[in-house]
């Protein structure tokens, strides 16, 4: 996202932060600083000394890793949001926080899942995201905070994924192109909403720049497609014809079974003109090219 925003606003005007060391190429792309989302005073200092006016808050533990360390997920995902939202209120910053299909649960309608419906997720990740959505809406109505939030589906890119349930789709490309074999931790018929990273970043950008009076909500579903592991493998076989996929469901299956299968993003399409560009065919073609280049680079 920083790369995307730097093209629009200039390299020096977008400050990237994390608690981890940047890769060489990330460090070369523009300013990068240490910021721990749990350190409120440290965040205040950054906002003041860098004259920050807009926060895009990505830090989180995703669904699968969150279940492995619930206390840490509570701190990073819930305390972290308390800190940025209070910061945004104090300094009148604009704030974007992503949510997810994981903010829905087994009581939600799964096909399709509308923008407003029962949520009641069963993972700490989902609970923390519903909390962020509600708190953001509350701060918007109570204090006039410009809070915006998109619920993303599984986002597919050639970067290493962070420990979610939808990560299988990324792993399948790497294993298919490295070894021609893949063991999937979800059942072959597990349908989940997905989106290519290019569409994800564009949706975020378009949503951030919509004039406020065009928004009927502060939280919108967005998506591009839905597919199952079996359907993804079938499309991938156009490029790796002998791909063998076996299935060994683990605890992530339970999570996937409680999530939307088809995400209804008609409100985003109607209110601010959201349109995806990548369907399954385009996504696979692009991923094969990008992951293929990485795999080739590792071999040389
Ligand atoms: N990747 C996906 O498919 C989807 C992602 N999202 C949301 O997008 C956001 C980014 O997701 P990803 O990039 O995939 O996750 P990721 O796991 O790759 O990145 C999360 C980042 O948070 C950082 N972090 C952890 N603790 C921190 C702390 N105390 N202070 C500062 N930073 C800290 C980590 O170092 C990591 O770089 C998350 O909020 C996630 O919920 C939403 C839906 C789908
Ligand atoms: C859909 C998400 O939020 C994420 N990729 C996960 O699987 O946890």
């Amino acid at each position: 996202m920083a790369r995307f925003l730097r093209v629009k606003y200039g390299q020096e005007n977008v400050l990237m932060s994390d608690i981890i060391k940047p890769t060489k190429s990330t460090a070369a792309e523009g300013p990068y600083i240490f910021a721990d989302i749990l350190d409120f005073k440290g965040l205040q200092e950054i906002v003041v000394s860098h004259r920050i006016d807009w926060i895009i808050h990505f830090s989180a533990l995703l669904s699968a890793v969150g279940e492995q360390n619930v206390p840490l997920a509570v701190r990073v995902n819930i305390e972290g949001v308390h800190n940025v939202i209070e910061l945004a209120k104090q300094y009148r910053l604009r704030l974007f926080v992503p949510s997810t299909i994981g903010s829905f649960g087994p009581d939600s309608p799964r096909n399709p899942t509308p923008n407003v419906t029962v949520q009641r997720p069963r993972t700490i990740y989902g609970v923390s995201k519903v909390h962020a959505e509600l708190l953001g809406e509350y701060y918007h109505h109570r204090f006039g905070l410009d809070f915006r939030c998109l619920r993303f589906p599984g986002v597919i890119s050639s970067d290493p994924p962070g420990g979610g349930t939808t990560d299988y789709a990324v792993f399948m490309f790497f294993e298919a192109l490295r070894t021609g074999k893949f063991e999937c931790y979800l059942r072959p018929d597990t349908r989940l909403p997905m989106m290519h990273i290019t569409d994800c970043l564009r949706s975020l950008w378009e949503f951030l720049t919509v004039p406020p009076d065009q928004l009927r909500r502060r939280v919108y579903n967005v998506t591009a497609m839905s597919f199952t592991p079996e359907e993804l493998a079938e499309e991938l076989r156009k490029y790796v014809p002998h791909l063998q996929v076996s299935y060994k469901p683990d605890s992530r299956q339970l999570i996937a079974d409680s999530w939307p299968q088809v995400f209804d993003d008609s409100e985003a399409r109607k209110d601010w003109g959201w349109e995806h560009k990548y369907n399954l065919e385009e996504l696979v073609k692009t991923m094969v090219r990008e992951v293929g280049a990485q795999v080739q680079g590792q071999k040389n």
Side-chain angles (χ1 to χ4, degrees):
M1 192 65 203
R3 204 174 298 146
F4 193 98
L5 291 174
R6 280 175 179 147
V7 174
K8 311 271 179 197
Y9 294 107
Q11 197 188 30
E12 294 305 310
N13 293 325
V14 179
L15 186 60
M16 216 178 145
S17 71
D18 206 311
I19 52 170
I20 54 169
K21 256 172 106 175
T23 60
K24 256 191 183 167
S25 65
T26 303
E29 280 174 17
Y32 186 105
I33 58 164
F34 174 89
D36 182 349
I37 208 68
L38 299 175
D39 172 14
F40 187 69
K41 265 196 166 320
L43 297 177
Q44 282 181 307
E45 195 183 322
I46 292 167
V47 168
V48 170
S49 52
H50 293 273
R51 304 189 63 248
I52 302 294
D53 51 17
W54 199 348
I55 296 186
I56 297 181
H57 171 61
F58 280 144
S59 320
L61 263 63
L62 302 196
S63 57
V65 290
E67 290 311 292
Q68 283 153 23
N69 193 342
V70 174
L72 185 63
V74 167
R75 294 203 68 206
V76 174
N77 297 14
I78 298 181
E79 255 183 75
V81 165
H82 289 175
N83 284 342
V84 289
I85 211 157
E86 201 42 46
L87 203 64
K89 173 173 163 266
Q90 264 184 26
Y91 294 98
R92 305 298 301 170
L93 315 176
R94 299 173 65 185
L95 175 63
F96 176 85
V97 180
S99 185
T100 162
I101 48 170
S103 70
F104 295 91
D107 295 327
S108 312
R110 297 180 65 210
N111 187 348
T113 307
N115 217 96
V116 178
T117 186
V118 76
Q119 293 190 260
R120 313 199 75 79
R122 293 270 175 93
T123 60
I124 189 61
Y125 176 59
V127 169
S128 70
K129 290 295 184 177
V130 174
H131 167 266
E133 292 178 8
L134 294 178
L135 204 63
E137 284 182 354
Y138 173 75
Y139 269 63
H140 170 70
H141 294 300
R142 176 85 168 77
F143 305 114
L145 180 74
D146 187 347
F147 169 83
R148 301 187 188 201
C149 170
L150 291 178
R151 293 190 190 115
F152 291 120
V155 178
I156 315 285
S157 81
S158 54
D159 291 335
T165 302
T166 58
D167 293 2
Y168 87 84
V170 176
F171 297 142
M172 191 187 289
F173 288 99
F174 277 93
E175 290 308 307
L177 293 163
R178 261 187 209 133
T179 66
K181 290 187 185 145
F182 177 60
E183 185 177 276
C184 184
Y185 57 76
L186 296 182
R187 276 193 323 268
D189 61 348
T190 310
R191 183 170 303 282
L192 288 168
M194 301 278 184
M195 178 183 238
H196 186 259
I197 183 77
T198 312
D199 272 342
C200 169
L201 298 180
R202 190 172 48 81
S203 70
L204 209 167
W205 163 249
E206 288 175 4
F207 179 55
L208 289 178
T209 50
V210 177
D213 55 2
Q214 222 175 301
L215 298 178
R216 285 189 309 125
R217 314 189 168 286
R218 292 281 138 181
V219 181
Y220 283 91
N221 292 355
V222 285
T223 191
M225 67 196 95
S226 282
F227 56 74
T228 66
E230 205 169 31
E231 288 164 358
L232 179 61
E234 202 44 44
E235 186 62 31
L236 192 43
R237 284 197 187 94
K238 289 185 184 163
Y239 303 86
V240 188
H242 304 298
L243 170 65
Q244 289 172 32
V245 182
S246 56
Y247 296 91
K248 199 173 168 200
D250 66 16
S251 55
R252 287 168 281 193
Q253 183 68 54
L254 279 178
I255 298 178
D257 286 343
S258 72
W259 282 4
Q261 294 178 317
V262 173
F263 216 31
D264 175 357
D265 61 359
S266 53
E267 296 210 17
R269 290 175 193 263
K270 191 168 72 202
D271 290 1
W272 47 275
W274 165 239
E275 272 179 38
H276 68 277
K277 292 206 172 123
Y278 284 71
N279 57 18
L280 178 59
E281 214 176 349
E282 273 302 309
L283 174 130
V284 171
K285 188 164 89 185
T286 308
M287 285 292 285
V288 166
R289 192 179 63 237
E290 291 177 3
V291 174
Q294 277 191 39
V295 169
Q296 200 53 45
Q298 284 159 6
K299 278 188 193 154
N300 296 336

